[in-house]
């Protein structure tokens, strides 16, 4: 990597770590950046996943106050994320590389769409809770939450862009808890998915450790920034950047 490429990937890592802590769409920043520098899609996805793991841990630590009293919930749902992430990672390695090249533009576009509709999802969740009152969602999670988290983990282990948005939709509807505390759980679950997938990728996949190191440094810094300062950023501006980068990646993948 040249100095310019290293700097660009580092900044992308900072941005991704910050966004993952608050929204959960950081892959839509780092993945297109790697593609722009000619990194093969599967290698970019694998290296990006491994590099973002420290950022997930950083974000979870930044939200540690909101995690107080949620140990049982995190352990139960974390098992679903672990199994889902493992299955998604295995699918990435088992399916032909051509399948990933075909599927990933759709996943990128799905991630962009999820980022766009995320405010509407949040408003619907809040309105539904207000209308139904206390007890509308089970405090320990409705019965469908565990398999939904499992399915989200499969998606996250395979690709992962905007898995945080999916998780917040699931948790916000199915668990009776404040959204900031659920966001803290989301960070742990997403980190679990990335972590177990990273273990699989390190063991058997082609990981570019230079990319991993640069993204990891940036993501750790970004995780702390997102946890402490991310809520103050204009949501519309943050969302616009993610959508612009993700749309560009979709166009490049389809035309390239």
């Amino acid at each position: 990597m040249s100095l310019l490429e290293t700097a660009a990937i580092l900044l992308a890592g900072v941005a991704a770590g910050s966004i993952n802590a608050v929204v959960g769409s950081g892959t839509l920043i780092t993945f297109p950046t790697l593609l722009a520098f000619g990194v093969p899609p599967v290698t970019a996805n694998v290296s990006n996943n491994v590099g973002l793991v420290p950022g997930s841990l950083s974000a979870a630590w930044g939200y540690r106050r909101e995690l107080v009293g949620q140990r049982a919930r995190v352990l139960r749902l974390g098992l679903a994320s672990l199994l889902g992430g493992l299955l998604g990672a295995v699918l990435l390695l088992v399916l032909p590389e051509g399948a990933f090249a075909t599927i990933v533009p759709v996943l990128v576009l799905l991630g962009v769409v999820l980022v766009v509709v995320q405010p509407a999802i949040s408003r619907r969740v809040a309105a539904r809770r207000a209308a139904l009152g206390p007890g509308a969602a089970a405090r320990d999670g409705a019965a469908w939450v565990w398999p939904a988290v499992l399915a989200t983990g499969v998606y996250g282990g395979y690709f992962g862009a905007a898995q945080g948005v999916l998780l917040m939709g699931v948790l916000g509807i199915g668990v009776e808890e404040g959204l900031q505390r659920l966001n803290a759980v989301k960070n742990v679950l997403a980190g679990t998915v990335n972590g177990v997938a990273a273990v699989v990728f390190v063991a058997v996949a082609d990981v570019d450790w230079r990319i991993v190191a640069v993204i990891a440094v940036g993501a750790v810094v970004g995780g702390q920034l997102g946890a402490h300062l991310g809520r103050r950023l204009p949501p519309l501006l943050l969302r616009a950047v993610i959508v612009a980068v993700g749309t560009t990646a979709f166009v490049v993948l389809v035309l390239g």
Side-chain angles (χ1 to χ4, degrees):
M1 291 186 292
S2 68
L3 183 61
L4 177 61
E5 291 172 340
T6 301
I9 294 172
L10 178 65
L11 290 175
V14 173
S18 302
I19 292 166
N20 281 340
V22 181
V23 181
S25 309
T27 292
L28 291 178
I29 301 294
T30 45
F31 183 72
T33 300
L34 296 178
L35 294 182
F37 292 130
V39 181
V42 173
T43 301
N45 186 47
V46 167
S47 303
N48 176 67
N49 180 290
V50 177
L52 288 177
V53 170
S56 298
L57 297 176
S58 177
W61 176 254
Y63 273 90
R64 62 191 179 279
R65 294 176 184 174
E66 287 84 355
L67 286 170
V68 173
Q70 300 198 80
R71 178 185 178 88
R73 177 181 295 152
V74 167
L75 289 177
R76 185 168 56 84
L77 296 179
L79 176 61
S81 289
L82 188 149
L83 295 175
L86 179 61
L87 178 57
V90 170
L91 286 175
L92 178 65
L93 298 176
V94 170
L95 294 177
E97 185 167 343
F100 181 81
T102 301
I103 295 170
V104 73
V106 178
L107 297 181
V108 169
L109 186 60
L110 174 62
V112 170
V113 171
L114 288 171
V115 171
V116 171
V117 303
Q118 188 269 335
I121 293 174
S122 296
R123 286 194 297 269
R124 284 179 177 271
V125 169
R128 184 173 185 273
R129 285 189 174 186
L132 297 179
R139 183 157 186 82
D140 291 328
W144 55 267
V145 170
W146 199 93
V149 170
L150 174 69
T152 303
V154 175
Y155 168 77
Y158 188 82
F159 183 54
Q163 70 164 318
V165 176
L166 284 172
L167 281 170
M168 283 304 293
V170 169
L171 298 176
I173 295 171
V175 181
E176 187 179 321
E177 186 61 89
L179 291 181
Q180 287 297 339
R181 283 171 60 79
L182 291 179
N183 192 46
V185 175
K186 177 266 293 180
N187 284 332
V188 175
L189 298 183
T192 300
V193 171
N194 289 344
V196 68
V199 171
V200 174
F201 295 152
V202 168
V204 299
D206 181 18
V207 179
D208 189 321
W209 289 103
R210 298 171 302 170
I211 291 174
V212 168
V214 175
I215 289 179
V217 171
V220 168
V221 174
Q224 290 301 303
L225 289 175
H228 294 289
L229 303 176
R231 300 187 188 101
R232 302 178 184 177
L233 294 176
L236 183 60
L237 175 61
L238 181 62
R239 192 166 289 107
V241 172
I242 298 171
V243 170
V245 172
T247 302
T248 300
F250 174 76
V251 172
V252 170
L253 287 166
V254 170
L255 297 181

